[in-house]
Amino acid sequence: MNLQQRPVRDSKPGPYRVLREADLRDYLAQLPDVADRLGGTPDAWSISEVGDGNLNLVFIVRGSAGGIAVKQALPYVRLVGESWPLPLSRAHYEYLALTHQARLAPGLVPAVLHHDEALALTAMELLEPHIIMRKGLIAGTIYPRFVEDVTTFLARTLFFTSDLAVSAAQKKEGIAAFAGNHALCKITEDLIFTDPYREAEQNRWTAPWLDKMAARFREDLDAHVAISRLKLKFMGQPQALIHGDLHTGSIMVTETETRVIDPEFAFYGPMGFDIGAVLANLIMAYLASAGHERSAGERRAFEAWLLQTIEQVWTEFARKFVELWRSEAHGDGYPKTLFAGLTGEAWLEAERQQYVEQLFRDTVGFAAAKIIRRILGLAHNIDFEWIEDARRRAVCEARSLHLARAMLVDTESFATIGDVTRRARQLRDWQPDFAE
Ligand code: SR1
Ligand code: MG
C-alpha cells in the first residue's frame, strides 16, 4: 500500500479543457480498454451529463456491451459558478483516495478504469442498478446491507491508515500525499465550521420560520466555542485518511450492495468527521421523514429501521475497529513491548475502550456540525429541500437544529448512541414555536 505512487497515465497528457459530450466520445474512443468495455462503434455510444452534485461534471456513457461513469472536475464550484475557482487537483486526490480505499475495503468503492491528471478526469465502473442513498431514503426504502458495508468501510479505511496500523514513516508519507488538498479542506472549514455561526452572504435557511433560530446560532457563544474546538480538531488532528464528505449523497446502494463514491475531500483528519457525517445524514433522513409522509404514520416502519441503523452504525463500527486493533495493530502507536503479558493486555484493552469513547464524543460533535450546516449554510440537503410545503420543511429542520445544538454544546450528555436516538425520537413530533 504505497500512497506515494504516481497516478497512472493511460494516455498522452494534453491541456485541460472542459469536455462536452462529443469531445468525450473522441477521447474515450482512443482508450482501448474503455472502448472494449463499452462495445460497438463510438458513434453508437450514448453519452449524457447527469451530474447533480455541487462541484463536477458526471457523464454516463453506454455502449452495446456495457456502461461507464466519467467524472471531470471543473475549475470552479459548479453550485456557485466561475466566481468561485477551485483547483483541478481535487481529481488527483479523489483518484488517490479511491484506489487506496479499494485496497483497504475491497468491493465497497467503484473500480477505477482510467485516470487522466491533465483533464482532471476519472472513468469508473457504472454502478447499476445502484441509486444515490439519499434519494432512496427520501422514498422510504430500507437497505438491509447498509450497516454491514458502511461499518466495514469506516473501520477498515480509518484503522488501516492510522498510527495503530502503519509505521510513523508511512503515516507521514500519507499525510504528505494528501496535504495539497487544502482548498477542499478550506471549503469544509468555512462552510461547516464557520459560516453557519456568522453573517455570511451565502447562508440561507427556510425563512421566515427559521429566522429567529438562525439569529440565535449567530449569537450563541456556547455553540461558537464548541464549533471552534471541532474546527481545530478538523485542521490539526491527522488521525487517519478520511473520506471527508461522507454524506448519503456519497453512497450508492441497492438492497444488497453498497458503494462509497466521491472522496475528493479526502485528507488526513479526525476519524469522527467521517463517522459523524454518516450519522448526521441518517438523523436528517429520520427527522425529514415526517415531511415526506402522505398519511400520518405511514413511514413508521422505515423510521424505526433508520433509528436502529443509526445505533448499529456506531456499535458495529466500534466493534469492528476494536477487533482490528486487537488483531492487526502493526503500527508505531502503542508499542507491543510496553504492554506485554496479561496485565499489559488488560491495560491496553482498557485504553482501546477509552479511545473509542473519545471517538464517540468527536463523532457526536461532528454529526451536529454537519446537520447545522445543511440547514443554515450554503449547501442544503434534498432530504429537506424536497419537502415542498415550506412551513412543514421548517418544522423538520427546526427539530433537527434543536437536536444538533444539544449534540454540539452538551456533547457529554450523549453518553451512548442510544441517547442520540432517544432524543431524536422525542423530537419526531415536537412542534416548534417559531415566534420564540
Ligand atoms: C461548495 S461545495 C458545497 C458542499 O458540497 C460538497 O458535497 C461538500 O459537502 C461541500 O461542503
Ligand atoms: Mg461529492
Side-chain angles (χ1 to χ4, degrees), residues 72-89:
Q72 187 183 35
L74 290 166
Y76 54 85
V77 173
R78 181 176 184 162
L79 173 70
V80 175
E82 295 185 36
S83 60
W84 187 342
L86 199 60
L88 297 171
S89 60

Side-chain angles (χ1 to χ4, degrees), residues 262-296:
D262 276 2
E264 67 202 305
F265 284 75
F267 82 114
Y268 275 72
M271 298 180 186
F273 190 76
D274 272 2
I275 313 160
V278 175
L279 293 183
N281 281 272
L282 296 172
I283 291 168
M284 285 188 279
Y286 173 72
L287 289 171
S289 181
H292 297 293
E293 64 183 5
R294 285 154 304 173
S295 61

Side-chain angles (χ1 to χ4, degrees), residues 146-159:
F146 174 69
V147 168
E148 172 65 19
D149 287 345
V150 84
T151 57
T152 296
F153 177 85
L154 286 167
R156 292 185 64 85
T157 58
L158 298 178
F159 178 82

Side-chain angles (χ1 to χ4, degrees), residues 114-133:
H114 169 79
H115 176 70
D116 187 317
E117 285 282 287
L119 282 176
L121 173 150
T122 306
M124 288 164 271
E125 71 170 307
L126 181 61
L127 297 174
E128 251 181 349
H130 305 63
I131 63 164
I132 292 289
M133 186 178 188

Side-chain angles (χ1 to χ4, degrees), residues 204-211 213 217 283-284 287-291 371-377 379-387 389-405 427 430 432 434:
R204 63 186 181 87
W205 54 83
T206 307
W209 294 280
L210 296 186
D211 287 353
M213 279 187 111
F217 271 93
I283 291 168
M284 285 188 279
L287 289 171
S289 181
I371 293 172
I372 293 162
R373 64 79 57 108
R374 292 289 184 198
I375 300 171
L376 300 180
H380 286 223
N381 274 355
I382 56 173
D383 309 54
F384 295 124
E385 297 293 287
W386 282 9
I387 302 170
D389 180 316
R391 190 182 191 286
R392 199 173 176 199
R393 183 190 327 134
V395 168
C396 296
E397 291 174 326
R399 291 170 182 159
S400 307
L401 281 178
H402 202 74
L403 175 61
R405 201 260 172 198
L427 284 164
W430 174 64
F434 291 123

Side-chain angles (χ1 to χ4, degrees), residues 53-56 71 243 245 247 249-250 261-265:
N54 294 329
L55 301 180
N56 307 296
K71 180 168 175 179
H243 177 285
D245 198 24
H247 52 77
S250 296
I261 63 170
D262 276 2
E264 67 202 305
F265 284 75

Side-chain angles (χ1 to χ4, degrees), residues 16-75:
Y16 176 82
R17 63 201 185 279
V18 176
L19 292 184
R20 305 289 164 209
E21 287 163 15
D23 310 316
L24 184 60
R25 187 185 309 278
D26 294 344
Y27 178 80
L28 296 175
Q30 41 100 33
L31 303 174
D33 290 349
V34 170
D36 280 356
R37 192 179 181 102
L38 290 166
T41 56
D43 57 343
W45 297 341
S46 72
I47 304 184
S48 48
E49 204 282 314
V50 297
D52 60 0
N54 294 329
L55 301 180
N56 307 296
L57 295 174
V58 180
F59 298 91
I60 302 291
V61 187
R62 291 179 200 278
S64 54
I68 61 168
V70 178
K71 180 168 175 179
Q72 187 183 35
L74 290 166

